[in-house]
Amino acid sequence: MVKEIVERQAEKSAVEEIRVDGFDHTEFYVGNALQACYYYHHGFGFDIVGYKGLETGHRDRVSYVLQQGNVKIVLTGALNADSDIAEHVHRHGDGVKTIGMKVRDARLAYETAIARGAKSFAEPTEVTDDYGTMVTASVHTYGDTIHTFVDRSNYSKDNFAPGFKPIQGKADGGVGLAAIDHVVGNVEVDRMEHWVDFYKKVFGFYVYQYFDANDISTKYSALVSKVMANRTGSIKLPLNEPAVGIRKSQIQEYLDYYLAPGVQHIAIATRDIIKTVGALHERGIEFLTVPRSYYDALPERVGEIDEDIEELAKLGILVDRESEGYLLQIFTKPVEDRPTLFFEIIQRKGAHGFGKGNFKALFESIEREQANRGNL
Ligand code: FE2
C-alpha cells in the first residue's frame, strides 16, 4: 500500500528546508547537441530559444536551449575529446547531467548544502550581461548527476543565461508540454537509504510517498521507490533501487548501461494528455504499450472519468485512481541508444501520486521490451 506523507510528522525535528521554487532546467550531456536538438524540436515540439558555442566565444562546448511551457532543456555537446562532457558521454551515453532548481538565493542554498555535507561541483558564480545578473552554484547528487541552484530573479526572461544568445524564429507551437512534474533517479542496490538521507539532511526534504516490493513487482523484477519532496510539492524527486527478482530488474538494466546511478525519467505535465500524446505519436515519438485487456478492466478499476476510454486505448494512455482524484500517464520508450533515459507525460486530475495502479501493467510492458533487447 502507499504510505502517503508517512514521515511528515516524524520529520518535525529535521533540518530547515533549502527553499526551492521549483525545477529550473535540466541539462543533458549528449554526443551531438545539434542532432539531439532536432529531435526535441521536431519530435517533442520544443522551441529552440538559446545557443552557445564557437560563435559566442565558447571553445569547449555547444549548448542549445529548448523550451516548451515552463520546461527548459539544455543540450550540451563537447568540442574537445578531453572535456568532462565527452568523458560523461563516453561513460554513460547521452544522459542528464544537471537537475536545475530555481532558488531566490543561490549562494545561501549552496552554502547551506555544503555545510550539511554536500560535495561542491561549482562554487557560486555571479555573472552580469545585457540581460541582467544571474547567480548559479552546483552540488553533486547521485552518480555523476548534479543539482544546479539558479537565481534568475534579476535576469531577463529574454535570454536563458549569460553566455547564451537568444534564438528567434525557431518556435514550434508545441504539443502542450507545460511543466516538469517530477524527475526520477535510479540508485544502486542498498544505496536508497543513503540518498534518502542525503535529501533529508542536505535539502531538508521529506519522504512524500514510498513503494516497496509488494507494490511494485512482477513475476520477474521488483524495485523499491521513495519519493523525496519539498513542503510546497514544487520539487518531487523519486528514487528507485533495484530489488531482488527472478530476473534482472529494469533498474538493474539501467545501471548496467548507464554504469552509475542517474536520471531514469523526466515526467512532464500537460493539461490535455489526449491532445499532447496524439501530437507526439504523429511526430514519431514511440511509447510503451499495454494489452487491450488493460482497457477492458479500466472502468471497474477507476470508475467514472472525463475521457473516452477508446481514445485512451488508441493512444495507450494509462489511468490511475486515488482518493482525491485520478491521473493519466504514458511512458516513452528509451530516448537514447542505451536503454536508460525515458520521458513520462502526465495529466493530474486531483491525484498527487505516481500511478501505483499502473505499475504492474507498465512493468510487464517494460519487461517485454527488455526481453526484446535480450536483457531479461
Ligand atoms: Fe514517473
Side-chain angles (χ1 to χ4, degrees), residues 259-367:
L259 301 177
V263 172
Q264 178 209 37
H265 75 265
I266 298 173
I268 305 180
T270 170
R271 290 179 194 92
D272 186 345
I273 197 166
I274 289 178
K275 213 168 131 199
T276 296
V277 174
L280 290 170
H281 267 292
E282 272 172 32
R283 288 162 179 261
I285 299 302
E286 292 192 74
F287 294 92
L288 294 177
T289 56
V290 290
R292 174 68 221 186
S293 55
Y294 174 90
Y295 293 96
D296 297 337
L298 200 58
E300 202 183 326
R301 192 164 68 77
V302 302
E304 192 76 8
I305 56 171
D306 302 335
E307 294 74 16
D308 174 22
I309 288 186
E310 282 315 308
E311 210 159 0
L312 297 177
K314 205 172 75 197
L315 294 166
I317 295 168
L318 311 175
V319 190
D320 196 26
R321 169 74 70 179
E322 293 170 10
S323 53
E324 301 127 327
Y326 65 99
L327 61 80
L328 303 114
Q329 63 186 170
I330 190 168
F331 298 83
T332 70
K333 291 185 178 179
V335 295
E336 317 295 2
D337 294 330
R338 304 185 197 186
T340 53
L341 180 72
F342 58 88
F343 286 89
E344 172 182 352
I345 310 297
I346 184 167
Q347 182 179 4
R348 295 186 180 279
K349 292 192 147 181
H352 300 288
F354 298 85
K356 185 174 93 78
N358 289 321
F359 286 173
K360 195 170 155 50
L362 200 61
F363 291 176
E364 283 168 356
S365 177
I366 290 173
E367 283 164 9

Side-chain angles (χ1 to χ4, degrees), residues 4-15 200 205-207 231:
E4 276 183 64
I5 316 180
V6 273
E7 298 186 25
R8 200 167 199 170
Q9 293 306 316
E11 292 295 312
K12 285 236 166 86
S13 59
V15 296
K200 280 184 187 171
F205 292 174
Y206 72 105
V207 179
R231 258 97 188 145

Side-chain angles (χ1 to χ4, degrees), residues 3 34 51 55 61 76 92 101 117 128 143 151 157 163 207 225 231 237 246 252 267 296 307 315 335 358:
K3 296 85 182 172
L34 175 71
Y51 171 83
E55 297 83 350
R61 69 187 59 200
T76 296
H92 305 299
M101 294 177 172
T128 301
D151 170 11
K157 286 183 170 54
V207 179
S225 186
R231 258 97 188 145
L237 299 169
I246 297 172
Q252 194 55 51
D296 297 337
E307 294 74 16
L315 294 166
V335 295
N358 289 321

